[in-house]
Amino acid sequence: MNKEQQYEHVALQIKGLIESETDLIANLSNIANLLGEAFSWWWTGFYLVKDKELILGPFRGPVACTRIAFGKGVCGTAWQEKKPIRVKNVNDFPGHIACSAESLSEIVVPILKDNEVQMVLDVDSEMENHFDELDEKYLERICYMIAEKL
Ligand code: SME
């Protein structure tokens, strides 16, 4: 399977999961694991907006930072800008928050409801420049599926 086929396959699995379960945390947990396992990413997870901060939610991977402020790091910047951010090398991103020294590239996609960011999907890779337009397209599609259920 090429990457596009893998994403189609995973998107179908996610569709099935969230159609049959209404609990958000249960769904985010399964989605983080499905995605992370399918693509063997270093870290895959969600940060949820709570009391004007991003707080760590369901994830797959090593222990991570628990709180991120608005506008801080890649996640806080994606929240502020309300758009996906792809970082080829995190060392070149001013203010990047290094939860793990292994991470080299990152993609963050915000999930919105009523034009307000509710959470972000964050994916880290230990490889440089790991994420391309195809990743962004499919991760946005998956985030849209999650947003529709909020
Ligand atoms: N690197 C992120 C922080 C979250 S961890 O990567 C899991 C950032 O700069 O926002």
Side-chain angles (χ1 to χ4, degrees):
M1 270 201 283
N2 64 29
K3 190 158 85 171
E4 188 155 23
Q5 290 166 325
Q6 261 181 300
Y7 267 116
E8 289 291 346
H9 185 69
V10 171
L12 260 184
Q13 285 180 286
I14 291 173
K15 186 170 180 276
L17 276 173
I18 62 181
E19 270 173 7
S20 55
E21 174 56 62
T22 55
D23 187 85
L24 177 66
I25 298 298
N27 284 336
L28 297 182
S29 304
N30 274 333
I31 292 167
N33 272 277
L34 255 178
L35 279 169
E37 206 168 288
F39 296 100
S40 301
W41 291 323
W42 176 256
W43 196 91
T44 310
F46 295 90
Y47 280 90
L48 281 66
V49 176
K50 283 183 197 167
D51 300 329
K52 299 183 179 153
E53 261 184 318
L54 283 172
I55 305 205
L56 182 64
F59 70 95
R60 173 189 188 270
V63 168
C65 334
T66 52
R67 290 169 190 263
I68 298 173
F70 184 72
K72 299 290 177 198
V74 188
C75 292
T77 305
W79 176 15
Q80 184 171 33
E81 295 185 0
K82 296 184 179 175
K83 60 170 209 228
I85 299 183
R86 261 191 287 144
V87 181
K88 289 181 182 174
N89 187 320
V90 294
N91 298 312
D92 299 333
F93 188 93
H96 167 257
I97 300 164
C99 291
S100 160
E102 302 293 326
S103 293
L104 254 193
S105 57
E106 179 163 359
I107 181 167
V108 178
V109 182
I111 298 172
L112 287 84
K113 185 186 177 187
D114 301 330
N115 202 35
E116 291 294 326
V117 175
Q118 309 294 315
M119 63 193 88
V120 300
L121 167 63
D122 179 19
V123 183
D124 290 12
S125 170
E126 70 278 36
M127 283 178 252
E128 192 173 1
N129 198 11
H130 198 169
F131 305 106
D132 58 16
E133 279 172 19
L134 192 78
D135 294 291
E136 186 169 324
K137 177 181 127 180
Y138 275 98
L139 292 178
E140 274 200 285
R141 192 179 287 181
I142 288 162
C143 286
Y144 187 71
M145 285 159 62
I146 297 167
E148 276 187 314
K149 298 275 289 183
L150 295 175

